[in-house]
Amino acid sequence: MGISNKVRTIFRGEVPLAALLRELGRRSALANHRRTERKQIDAIGDAPPRLAQAFSAASEAELLIHFRDRKESVFAINSSDDPSIYLQQNLFPDETDALLRTADRIVSGNSWELAGFGTIKFESPNLWRTDPLGSKDWGMEYHADVVVDNQDGADIRVLWELNRFGHVIPLALAYALTGREDHAETFFRHVEEWMRQNRYGRGPNWNCAMEVALRAINLLAAFDIFRLSPSLTQDRLTLLLQLFDQHGRFILNNNEFSYIATSNHYLSNVIGLLWIGMLLPELECAEEWKRLGLREVLSEIDKQVLSDGADFEASTGYHKFVSEMLLVTFVVGRRQGIQFPQEYRAKLGSMLAYLNAMVRPDGRMPLIGDADGSQIVPVIKRDADDVAYLLALGAAALEKPELKAGSQLSPEVLWYLGEHGIDTFNSLDTDIGLPTSAAFRKAGSYVMRHSNLNLHLNTNDCGLNGRGSHGHNDALSIEISAYGRPFIIDPGSYVYNLDRDARHTFRSTAVHSTVMVDGAEQNTTDRDLPFVLGNEAQPRVLEWESGAERDRIVAEHLGYMRLTQPVRHQRMVEFYKEEGYWVIEDSLSGEGDHDVCFSFHLAPGSSISEIDDCTVHIHDESEASLYIRAVGLDRPSQIAAFVSRNYGHREPSTILKWELNVAVPFAARFILVPCAGVENRAATLELISEVSAKLNN
């Protein structure tokens, strides 16, 4: 990154002078630390694990016995001897079969799913340092010297996903179910290979403390089960203790704290420290890491969670990830005797309530902003927009019946909470009902919901206190779903550095269901700064009302006020609940002639039929469909596009675009009417005609 880009990255957003000065001091201290660390890196890597005084005099044989008998655990069930283990097969037969097949592929074929790239067979001699999609070996240079993006076709994010060791979780759960020693032997072999190929502090897998933390968490969770295996020898136990000690040490000394802004990265750092500290009291620094980790986790919740429960990064995908990290840590910590203070338990509940309000009738959530599908301890590999399992775990762990409506009982409830968790979930009141319309003013999320009709309007800013790391140019964009399926959706993210052009496209105004003026982005973007987004749009809500019969919102943004002839975009959405339709009015104020584009991004698999010059019919093989009438506009063009709900995977989609040159002030109106079945289509068209006539009067 050039000097000018570095300056733009550091100084963007709201940065108080005092914070900037403290940050410069921190970076100076970090540079001094790294000069010292660089000289000592190999000596640190060769050092034996630093054990607490109570264990330092124990023999290796005594330590092995201790670890087989100890009580600290991640899962409520960790062996086939547990009487609750039968529930996995009885309650979740399909998931059990998939879990065992996954474990078999790992053991026999050295292959498993990676992000959205499908199942990959890993054959490189230097597997853990080699680009999973190519042949690049990232080498063993000092961690701070690794250039993570030199645009040579290798994506560090993909390599990091491999090295998070998420694949050992299904391997461990399969071992708990079957007791097969080849599962355990594969785990220990992978750890041994990894340590040979990734000496402490060297190479890409020590470059980012977040990756170190998430790897430690997954390895701890798997070790919780594999410590009972006869394949755990004295030498292997010493090796694992050395590995965990190194991970804690690295996170402490190379964490991603900043006085300017912290994010999910630093939160994952301190959660990793907390996990190592509370699950390995045998280490010398465990108590320090536990205290520091817990203190900083609570501090980051205060910083990163808005007053209405949303994460502050302008991304539902990262909100889900942060919520999952905190919820699982809450559950595991409680088992270790750590209790979150009540105010933080309430904040965690509000985060899950936000997710619950976002859930569409199809059980998925809008992917507003970035989403890379990150999970902590992936009991099951989930799509980035899958949130029902997390709500189920939250409902049972926090005993919140209101979370049950948007969820479904999942294996995560069993593994983390045991049979008691299943009983708690089943006992929760089911008469709470479905979520209703909701406003999250701080988050900029507004949901218009009635029965199974759902519209989401996005009015968030670029996120991260104006620093715009994971936000997209999606101000005033909408999502619509009805009768169990989505019709208009957010496109997601696809990839980050793997394809800079695709990254630039997926976060652009043009692919979101909003209005574009003169081809300009709502907020400034730069292809070469994939995690920097301007904050010019600054959306705000002017009106919001929600009642039994109608919801109404009026919002605007200022993103086009920087044009030579400034334009202000205002969007009004009205939802007529009993009749079952929405009216959208887009008003452009200012002066001059402008090229304007009104867009609706359709869900994959949508077919489009033209009813007349201004009405289109969106449908697929299901009976549900959506009609869109553009009042006073000609027929739209159909633009080929893509949507993505997993990192590295995308599906073809279509964007409806009404493109025209207009004199501003100008207003366009759209009528959107879902239809439940073929037999209702005539009545739906009649309703559209009636509403259109009213709007024209």
Side-chain angles (χ1 to χ4, degrees), residues 614-670:
C614 59
T615 307
V616 293
H617 182 211
I618 317 302
H619 53 93
D620 61 8
E621 295 179 355
S622 68
E623 291 192 353
S625 60
L626 176 71
Y627 289 87
I628 304 177
R629 172 167 292 187
V631 180
L633 300 180
D634 292 333
R635 58 171 54 90
S637 56
Q638 300 179 26
I639 307 299
F642 291 97
V643 299
S644 172
R645 66 183 186 188
N646 287 303
Y647 192 89
H649 181 264
R650 61 185 181 180
E651 302 174 73
S653 61
T654 301
I655 304 177
L656 293 180
K657 288 184 177 289
W658 286 262
E659 299 176 273
L660 58 160
N661 182 270
V662 301
V664 172
F666 180 81
R669 287 174 292 188
F670 300 88

Side-chain angles (χ1 to χ4, degrees), residues 186-489:
T186 300
F187 168 75
F188 292 119
R189 176 170 54 83
H190 283 186
V191 171
E192 290 163 345
E193 289 174 353
W194 192 92
M195 292 190 72
R196 285 195 298 270
Q197 296 175 26
N198 296 272
R199 284 184 56 80
Y200 176 80
R202 292 190 174 278
N205 295 315
W206 293 100
N207 171 265
C208 175
M210 176 182 186
E211 301 306 318
V212 177
L214 293 177
R215 177 167 58 249
I217 290 169
N218 284 327
L219 288 171
L220 280 166
F223 177 61
D224 174 42
I225 291 176
F226 287 125
R227 64 186 170 84
L228 303 174
S229 164
S231 296
L232 177 62
T233 63
Q234 295 175 20
D235 288 344
R236 281 172 166 172
L237 176 59
T238 299
L239 195 70
L240 278 160
L241 291 175
Q242 181 188 36
L243 180 64
F244 289 127
D245 190 33
Q246 290 177 352
H247 276 57
R249 182 173 189 159
F250 185 90
I251 296 166
L252 182 69
N253 294 329
N254 296 277
N255 63 72
E256 296 167 272
F257 175 80
S258 169
Y259 287 104
I260 295 176
T262 50
S263 67
N264 68 86
H265 274 244
Y266 181 63
L267 180 61
S268 68
N269 297 172
V270 293
I271 285 178
L273 269 184
L274 175 58
W275 275 61
I276 299 172
M278 68 183 178
L279 291 169
L280 288 175
E282 297 82 3
L283 295 179
E284 179 182 67
C285 299
E287 190 61 31
E288 173 195 351
W289 293 344
K290 182 171 70 172
R291 284 198 309 268
L292 175 62
L294 181 58
R295 184 192 74 204
E296 290 298 290
V297 167
L298 300 182
S299 175
E300 289 306 305
I301 292 174
D302 288 336
K303 290 181 187 177
Q304 297 188 31
V305 180
L306 302 174
S307 59
D308 55 12
D311 180 78
F312 78 150
E313 293 194 63
S315 158
T316 55
Y318 280 95
H319 175 95
K320 174 195 168 186
F321 175 49
V322 168
S323 300
E324 186 168 6
M325 283 199 294
L326 292 173
L327 178 59
V328 173
T329 299
F330 168 83
V331 171
V332 174
R334 185 168 60 182
R335 192 171 293 120
Q336 316 312 316
I338 297 175
Q339 292 290 342
F340 276 55
Q342 180 55 37
E343 64 180 293
Y344 295 97
R345 178 188 172 104
K347 287 186 177 182
L348 176 56
S350 70
M351 296 183 76
L352 296 172
Y354 175 73
L355 284 176
N356 195 44
M358 294 296 107
V359 174
R360 304 186 308 231
D362 66 346
R364 305 281 176 156
M365 70 174 183
L367 288 178
I368 306 301
D370 279 346
D372 68 356
S374 291
Q375 289 181 258
I376 180 174
V377 192
V379 170
I380 294 177
K381 184 181 179 297
R382 301 288 188 175
D383 293 329
D385 62 352
D386 182 357
V387 72
Y389 73 98
L390 191 57
L391 294 175
L393 180 60
L398 302 178
E399 298 184 17
K400 285 187 170 291
E402 63 270 23
L403 299 179
K404 186 174 180 179
S407 70
Q408 57 187 29
L409 186 61
S410 65
E412 285 87 350
V413 176
L414 176 63
W415 286 102
Y416 284 121
L417 301 174
E419 187 172 359
H420 173 73
I422 300 292
D423 292 341
T424 299
F425 182 87
N426 289 333
S427 69
L428 294 174
D429 188 359
T430 57
D431 295 329
I432 298 298
L434 294 171
T436 57
S437 297
F440 297 88
R441 296 180 184 276
K442 293 291 186 180
S445 291
Y446 291 80
V447 179
M448 295 179 169
R449 186 194 303 268
H450 180 68
S451 184
N452 54 14
L453 306 183
N454 185 79
L455 179 146
H456 176 269
L457 176 71
N458 182 46
T459 68
N460 64 18
D461 61 14
C462 67
L464 206 67
N465 297 329
R467 292 178 63 78
S469 176
H470 287 301
H472 287 184
N473 276 337
D474 51 15
L476 310 192
S477 64
I478 64 163
E479 276 214 356
I480 284 183
S481 55
Y483 304 116
R485 63 150 291 188
F487 289 99
I488 299 173
I489 65 170

Side-chain angles (χ1 to χ4, degrees), residues 673-693:
V673 187
C675 179
V678 176
E679 69 279 6
N680 297 315
R681 289 181 180 175
T684 299
L685 288 173
E686 184 177 347
L687 173 62
I688 291 172
S689 296
E690 292 175 0
V691 175
S692 181

